[in-house]
Amino acid sequence: QVLLVESGGGLVQAGGSLRLSCAASGPTISRYSMGWFRQAPGKEREFVAAQTGSGSITDYAGSVKGRFTISRDNAKNTVYLQMNSLKPEDTAVYYCAAGDGVGQRSSSSAYDYWGQGTQVTVSS
């Protein structure tokens, strides 16, 4: 069982930056692929970024590539999402997820554990 807790969300102006953190308790996250998803009001949850347990492979949604960076600190059992050049369309609740690496990393079905989410609001 992995418990995930996100933090770092907030209100930021367009063009600004935020860093989200996802602290895990339980097994070490090095065992898991870690992903970030987001859900805007009235929309379905969508993939943002993912990284394999080893950290050797990362994936990004096209809409965030070049602006967002996923990283992890296995010693702290924490995953991060650095978000730069934020746009109003990035406004959403952001969720952290952990999965055993089976399945497509960009699919929510590949993940077994989810955090409660943190709100990111980007003003224009």
Side-chain angles (χ1 to χ4, degrees), residues 12-34:
V12 64
Q13 289 189 331
S17 298
L18 283 175
R19 188 176 79 157
L20 305 183
S21 299
C22 173
S25 59
T28 174
I29 60 170
S30 62
R31 296 174 51 182
Y32 298 97
S33 289
M34 301 298 295

Side-chain angles (χ1 to χ4, degrees), residues 3-4 14 47 62 77 97 113-114 117 120 122:
L3 179 63
L4 303 173
F47 169 72
N77 230 25
Y113 305 101
W114 293 83
V120 171
V122 184

Side-chain angles (χ1 to χ4, degrees), residues 64-81:
V64 307
K65 190 172 292 185
R67 300 188 298 123
F68 291 12
T69 303
I70 185 172
S71 63
R72 62 172 67 204
D73 185 336
N74 287 339
K76 294 183 177 179
N77 230 25
T78 300
V79 177
Y80 304 98
L81 184 68

Side-chain angles (χ1 to χ4, degrees), residues 8-110:
L11 174 64
V12 64
Q13 289 189 331
S17 298
L18 283 175
R19 188 176 79 157
L20 305 183
S21 299
C22 173
S25 59
T28 174
I29 60 170
S30 62
R31 296 174 51 182
Y32 298 97
S33 289
M34 301 298 295
W36 286 95
F37 289 75
R38 67 186 182 187
Q39 187 167 18
K43 295 187 178 181
E44 293 187 354
R45 188 173 298 188
E46 66 174 2
F47 169 72
V48 175
Q51 187 176 66
T52 54
S54 66
S56 61
I57 300 174
T58 57
D59 303 297
Y60 295 97
S63 59
V64 307
K65 190 172 292 185
R67 300 188 298 123
F68 291 12
T69 303
I70 185 172
S71 63
R72 62 172 67 204
D73 185 336
N74 287 339
K76 294 183 177 179
N77 230 25
T78 300
V79 177
Y80 304 98
L81 184 68
Q82 178 66 43
M83 305 186 296
N84 298 328
S85 302
L86 283 161
K87 305 174 181 180
E89 52 263 43
D90 294 318
T91 295
V93 177
Y94 283 72
Y95 298 90
C96 173
D100 60 9
V102 176
Q104 190 172 357
R105 283 185 296 275
S106 60
S107 172
S108 59
S109 63

